[in-house]
């Protein structure tokens, strides 16, 4: 009869992916509301200060939000993004990376096809990232995954993750996948689709003139963010699973609930991390791209926003799949 015992003498290491303990002395129930308040306030203030430089560009293409529910919807979605990061146990770097990956697609659309200045796009993206990262970092410290000074007992396999060549290669790998999907869409179907579903689109010349290398160079930050969000935490999970396998024979009882969970969700920790984070990226990036494009860009149909969102969601899925394969090599 099979034993209901498992070796888990180093079970603490297996949970390195869990949310880092906060150094804040605030009660738990106050931290997330404070995070939302700080982030939204900082974002509003930052955009107000930058309005002299960027408001004119966005005003020329923005849809007017005449109903209060439209504004409330945008605020609610922003709070939902923060909730994903907070309750999934992410740290500031995780959520900053997810913010870049989910907020860049609508801005990339404006820079490429609506003649919005790159400086305006970069300014907007920096505001979104910093007003996410700074409040998050104040209320929750970096996880061992992103903390080079973490103790050896709780850190990741730094030989893999911190190797300069691995960092460069995995960044280029993720960026190249995004580049292939975007460039392939330009060449296959996207220009005609944009004409049909994006009323008032200003310039399609870049869809025909940009080469693959130009596309790749323009989205290198995406490669870095995807690496930090998917590859680095999954490598941490791999190291944790190896520590469990090499542990001593100390045993704990496995409950029926744990047996069922392992049967349904019985992948190794690294694979589960890749699936969880890739799924999160697809959902958050996909929905935010559709929502922001449809709600804020004048003349965009819902189907058109969904098509543009699908380009980036496909790239995210393929990137996660490739990082899973790389982790097995």
């Amino acid at each position: 009869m099979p034993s209901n015992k498992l070796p888990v003498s180093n079970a603490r290491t297996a949970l390195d992916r869990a949310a880092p303990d906060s150094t804040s002395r605030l009660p738990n129930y106050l931290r997330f509301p404070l995070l939302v308040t700080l982030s939204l306030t900082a974002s509003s203030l930052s955009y107000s200060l930058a309005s002299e430089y960027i408001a004119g560009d966005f005003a020329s293409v923005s849809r007017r939000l005449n109903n209060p529910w439209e504004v409330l919807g945008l605020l609610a979605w922003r709070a939902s993004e923060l909730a994903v990061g907070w309750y999934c146990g992410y740290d500031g770097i995780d959520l900053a990376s997810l913010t870049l990956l989910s907020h860049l697609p609508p801005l990339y659309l404006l820079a490429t096809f609506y003649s919005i200045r790159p400086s305006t796009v970069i300014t907007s993206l920096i505001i979104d990232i910093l007003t996410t990262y700074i409040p998050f970092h104040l209320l929750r410290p970096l996880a061992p995954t992103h903390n080079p000074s973490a103790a050896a007992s709780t850190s990741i396999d730094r030989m893999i993750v911190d190797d300069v060549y691995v960092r460069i290669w995995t960044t280029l790998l993720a960026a190249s996948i995004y580049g292939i999907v975007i460039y392939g869409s330009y060449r296959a179907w996207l220009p005609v689709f944009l004409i049909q579903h994006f009323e008032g689109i200003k310039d399609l010349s870049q869809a025909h003139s940009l080469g693959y290398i130009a596309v790749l160079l323009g989205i290198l930050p995406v490669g870095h963010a995807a690496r930090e969000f998917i590859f680095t935490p999954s490598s941490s999970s791999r190291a944790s699973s190896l520590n469990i396998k090499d542990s001593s024979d100390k045993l704990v009882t496995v409950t029926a609930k744990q047996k069922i969970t392992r049967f349904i969700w019985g992948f190794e920790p690294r694979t589960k991390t890749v699936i969880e984070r890739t799924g999160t990226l697809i959902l958050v990036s996909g929905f935010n791209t559709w929502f922001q494009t449809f709600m804020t860009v004048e003349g965009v149909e819902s189907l058109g926003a969904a098509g543009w969102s699908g380009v980036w969601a496909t790239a995210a899925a393929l990137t996660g799949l490739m990082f899973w394969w790389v982790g097995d090599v």
Side-chain angles (χ1 to χ4, degrees), residues 177-227:
I177 294 172
Y178 271 84
I180 289 171
V181 174
I182 295 170
Y183 179 76
S185 298
Y186 286 169
R187 291 292 178 265
W189 60 275
L190 192 57
V192 173
F193 182 84
L194 292 175
I195 292 173
Q196 293 174 337
H197 302 287
F198 286 69
E199 181 182 346
I201 196 165
K202 295 183 177 181
D203 184 9
L204 287 173
S205 61
Q206 292 198 55
H208 301 287
S209 63
L210 284 179
Y212 172 71
I213 298 301
V215 174
L216 175 64
L217 293 176
I219 58 172
L220 280 177
V222 170
H224 176 74
R227 176 196 184 280

Side-chain angles (χ1 to χ4, degrees), residues 189 272 277:
W189 60 275
K272 287 199 291 186
R277 292 200 170 224

Side-chain angles (χ1 to χ4, degrees), residues 271-290:
T271 300
K272 287 199 291 186
T273 300
V274 171
I275 293 173
E276 290 168 355
R277 292 200 170 224
T278 301
T280 300
L281 176 56
I282 292 170
L283 292 175
V284 174
S285 176
F287 182 80
N288 184 74
T289 301
W290 172 82

Side-chain angles (χ1 to χ4, degrees), residues 25-188:
R25 296 182 179 180
L26 290 171
N28 286 331
Y29 63 86
L30 289 179
R31 291 175 188 164
F32 177 68
L34 180 59
L35 170 67
V36 174
T37 302
L38 289 174
S39 181
L40 293 181
T41 302
S43 179
S44 178
L45 178 61
S46 298
Y47 274 107
S48 296
L49 293 174
S51 61
E52 181 180 350
Y53 306 99
I54 67 176
D57 285 349
F58 286 137
S60 64
V61 299
S62 295
R63 183 196 300 268
R64 291 187 179 182
L65 303 180
N66 298 317
N67 297 318
W69 69 266
E70 294 174 326
V71 177
L72 291 175
L74 290 171
L75 293 175
W77 169 242
R78 184 61 183 140
S80 298
E81 290 181 288
L82 296 171
V84 168
W86 187 261
Y87 292 109
C88 287
Y90 299 159
D91 65 9
I93 292 179
D94 286 325
L95 196 56
S97 299
L98 183 59
T99 299
L100 187 151
L101 291 165
S102 59
H103 287 219
L104 178 62
L107 295 171
Y108 187 91
L109 174 78
L110 296 179
T112 305
F113 302 115
Y114 285 85
S115 303
I116 299 299
R117 292 177 300 166
S119 60
T120 297
V121 168
I122 293 171
T123 299
S124 179
L125 194 60
I126 289 174
I127 290 174
D128 290 347
I129 292 172
L130 290 182
T131 56
T132 297
Y133 173 79
I134 294 174
F136 221 86
H137 188 61
L138 290 174
L139 294 169
R140 175 177 288 170
L142 293 179
T145 301
H146 294 121
N147 187 0
S149 62
S153 61
T154 59
S155 65
I156 59 178
D157 187 356
R158 310 230 71 94
M159 290 183 63
I160 296 175
V161 176
D162 285 346
D163 182 84
V164 173
Y165 295 105
V166 173
R167 293 178 69 90
I168 293 174
W169 187 81
T170 49
T171 295
L172 289 175
L173 175 64
S176 67
I177 294 172
Y178 271 84
I180 289 171
V181 174
I182 295 170
Y183 179 76
S185 298
Y186 286 169
R187 291 292 178 265

